[in-house]
Amino acid sequence: MKIQPSIKLDYGNPAIYQKTRLPVAEATTLIPQSYYCEEYFWMEREKLWGNSWVCVGYTCQLERPGDVLKVDCAGQSIIIVRDKQQRLNGFFNVCRHRAAELVTEEKSHCSVLRCPYHGWGYALDGRLLGAPYFQGLDIPAAAAEVFLIRAEEKGTFCKEDYGLIPVQIETWGGMIFCKLTPSSLSLKDWLGDLPERYSRHPLLELKLARRVSYEIQANWKLVAENFMEYYHLPTIHPELCNISGFSDHYRYQGPGMYTGMCTSPISYDPTTVRLDLENYPGLDETENQTVYFILLFPNIALWMFPNHLVTLLYQPSGPTSTIENLDILIHPSSASADRLEQKLDEIIDFWSMVNRQDIQIVESVQRGLMTQAYPGGRMCYEFEEPVHRFQNMVIDRLLGIDRVPAGDADPEVLGSHRKQQQV
């Protein structure tokens, strides 16, 4: 995609975001350059992605000691490892010797993390176990003679000083989150009231059942913003409206780095798609007939049905491109369901169709945003308050402001769903 040249702006200047900082009924969207400017992209990578709790995968992808998952976080290659004590450890994917990548495959299994360049070996907890022929460590006499290593030339190398470089990782609900830089916001702060709200959903027990990957020709923020509003459902998703009715949507947001809405009750239309997996055990009456749509900033969208979880896990690959995985996770109780594979095929086919509809429109929006005459747009309060909330999170991250949005103040925003919860 050819990117139009833009007027040089200071993206760290709060003044250029003043109109987006206004109350949503008066606000305009983020400046168009934020969706395609190369300079803005690199600033986001450092200040937003490098300083956020980024979802990088699922604990079910690392079930055995020695399982390794290679992921990307803010453009950095990271490895997540399950060690012998069943702990998850995160490290930068780089050998401490000459910076070779330790792991090249997305998923692997090992007992020792071995550098392919010079053979340095690391324990699953990151300790350097050995550096062959390095400064006299474990060098046979014959090899020492060949390499002309004399005692006075061995130096002061201490392998205890050269373990892998750690990365902060935390988990919630079976999701793994990575953070590259320290800040005042813990993952608990980031999640806000989500763990309490969804305490009856057995998220930790879910298993990854299906994955479809996409390369989207649009900025990552467009992917996120499209997910968090239902204003577009009647025009873009007529099929989805058969099971998630436009008039049955309600905003559903508390304090936390997320946006949320729900559909209650779900409209089960078997002519559209059969969602007839068994509901999770332990849900209350409202949860058994509600689907929750949560965008956990910055990069994972959750479609939380009472019997399966759909996620969009995405990362920017350039100013105008995004890599996205659409995942289906199910509860082990569904593993013995009749015609399970057929049901999963039907479910993934349906959500893939819905996602392709979204991709088509966000790629169109991307092209439109690069129209030089376009100054930015207005948001509809009733339907797009979550977009406003999200865009202000983006601004906060860019300006180095550690702030967690509060919940919705208007008790009527949640409509009948809130009333059901309060009964």
Side-chain angles (χ1 to χ4, degrees):
M1 182 179 296
K2 184 178 180 181
I3 299 177
Q4 299 288 344
S6 60
I7 299 172
K8 183 73 173 178
L9 295 173
D10 177 7
Y11 297 118
N13 182 356
I16 70 173
Y17 306 109
Q18 285 181 346
K19 292 183 178 180
T20 310
R21 292 299 210 183
L22 294 172
V24 62
E26 305 169 29
T28 58
T29 56
L30 283 170
I31 56 174
Q33 291 92 334
S34 69
Y35 296 91
Y36 61 79
C37 177
E38 190 88 25
E39 182 183 349
Y40 195 96
F41 169 78
W42 291 111
M43 183 175 175
E44 272 190 342
R45 174 169 283 189
E46 175 189 355
K47 296 183 178 296
L48 188 156
W49 290 88
N51 194 30
S52 295
W53 285 102
V54 177
C55 184
V56 294
Y58 313 103
T59 57
C60 64
Q61 294 175 287
L62 299 122
E63 295 187 319
R64 301 175 299 162
D67 282 350
V68 182
L69 185 66
K70 182 174 77 73
V71 298
D72 180 279
C73 182
Q76 300 292 299
S77 183
I78 305 296
I79 51 175
I80 313 294
V81 184
R82 176 83 69 180
D83 69 18
K84 294 178 181 179
Q85 286 71 46
Q86 293 290 339
R87 297 171 303 198
L88 287 179
N89 302 308
F91 307 104
F92 287 93
N93 184 22
V94 60
C95 179
R96 294 297 304 276
H97 175 216
R98 293 272 298 283
E101 287 185 315
L102 292 171
V103 177
T104 56
E105 297 179 357
E106 180 182 353
K107 288 191 66 177
S108 56
H109 183 86
C110 66
S111 57
V112 174
L113 292 160
R114 181 77 63 185
C115 177
Y117 196 1
H118 297 97
W120 283 34
Y122 300 87
L124 301 178
D125 60 9
R127 291 175 295 117
L128 177 60
L129 297 175
Y133 307 125
F134 194 85
Q135 298 225 354
L137 290 178
D138 304 322
I139 298 179
E145 206 172 295
V146 171
F147 282 93
L148 302 177
I149 296 175
R150 297 192 296 254
E152 62 269 22
E153 294 176 338
K154 292 179 182 178
T156 58
F157 179 78
C158 178
K159 66 181 180 180
E160 286 75 19
D161 296 335
Y162 289 88
L164 296 179
I165 303 169
V167 174
Q168 291 183 87
I169 62 165
E170 299 284 350
T171 64
W172 169 68
M175 290 165 273
I176 304 171
F177 298 88
C178 174
K179 195 167 187 295
L180 297 186
T181 57
S183 75
S184 62
L185 294 182
S186 66
L187 181 61
K188 182 179 179 181
D189 297 326
W190 204 263
L191 296 171
D193 66 348
L194 290 180
E196 179 182 359
R197 279 196 166 178
Y198 302 112
S199 60
R200 287 183 291 272
H201 285 71
L203 300 176
L204 185 59
E205 301 170 28
L206 303 185
K207 306 297 182 184
L208 182 60
R210 290 287 192 277
R211 165 168 284 185
V212 180
S213 299
Y214 304 87
E215 293 184 9
I216 304 173
Q217 300 308 305
N219 183 272
W220 71 274
K221 294 188 291 298
L222 294 181
V223 176
E225 291 166 6
N226 176 80
F227 171 84
M228 66 186 69
E229 54 93 347
Y230 58 96
Y231 193 13
H232 70 283
L233 260 64
T235 52
I236 304 299
H237 299 305
E239 299 88 353
L240 181 56
C241 287
N242 290 338
I243 63 170
S244 184
F246 178 77
S247 60
D248 295 322
H249 277 73
Y250 310 101
R251 203 161 75 236
Y252 191 55
Q253 296 173 158
M257 293 292 287
Y258 72 91
T259 71
M261 58 186 175
C262 65
T263 302
S264 187
I266 307 169
S267 306
Y268 287 106
D269 178 11
T271 65
T272 301
V273 62
R274 297 183 64 87
L275 301 175
D276 55 349
L277 297 174
E278 184 178 347
N279 278 13
Y280 303 140
L283 299 183
D284 66 21
E285 182 179 354
T286 298
E287 292 163 341
N288 270 307
Q289 57 181 334
T290 302
V291 55
Y292 301 92
F293 302 90
I294 302 298
L295 190 288
L296 184 53
F297 189 90
N299 76 316
I300 185 166
L302 311 173
W303 298 338
M304 297 173 61
F305 281 79
N307 54 16
H308 70 288
L309 173 65
V310 184
T311 71
L312 297 178
L313 185 60
Y314 54 84
Q315 64 185 44
S317 53
T320 60
S321 60
T322 303
I323 296 171
E324 177 187 82
N325 290 319
L326 186 156
D327 295 330
I328 306 291
L329 294 96
I330 63 171
H331 193 264
S333 62
S334 295
S336 58
D338 292 339
R339 302 183 298 105
L340 175 62
E341 294 303 314
Q342 181 181 343
K343 291 178 180 180
L344 289 174
D345 287 344
E346 292 173 0
I347 291 172
I348 193 67
D349 287 347
F350 178 75
W351 292 122
S352 295
M353 178 271 295
V354 171
N355 200 42
R356 288 193 300 272
Q357 292 172 336
D358 284 328
I359 290 171
Q360 184 176 10
I361 196 64
V362 299
E363 289 184 339
S364 172
V365 172
Q366 181 67 60
R367 293 189 294 270
L369 276 165
M370 294 161 65
T371 303
Q372 290 183 344
Y374 180 71
R378 290 292 297 270
M379 286 176 277
C380 176
Y381 171 76
E382 183 173 358
F383 302 113
E384 295 177 296
E385 187 279 340
V387 176
H388 182 257
R389 177 177 167 111
F390 167 82
Q391 292 189 354
N392 277 277
M393 291 185 210
V394 170
I395 296 169
D396 282 348
R397 294 286 92 197
L398 290 179
L399 300 182
I401 300 171
D402 281 344
R403 175 168 49 199
V404 175
D408 286 319
D410 184 353
E412 294 304 314
V413 151
L414 304 184
S416 64
H417 186 271
R418 169 67 72 85
K419 293 172 185 175
Q420 289 172 16
Q421 291 276 25
Q422 291 178 337
V423 171

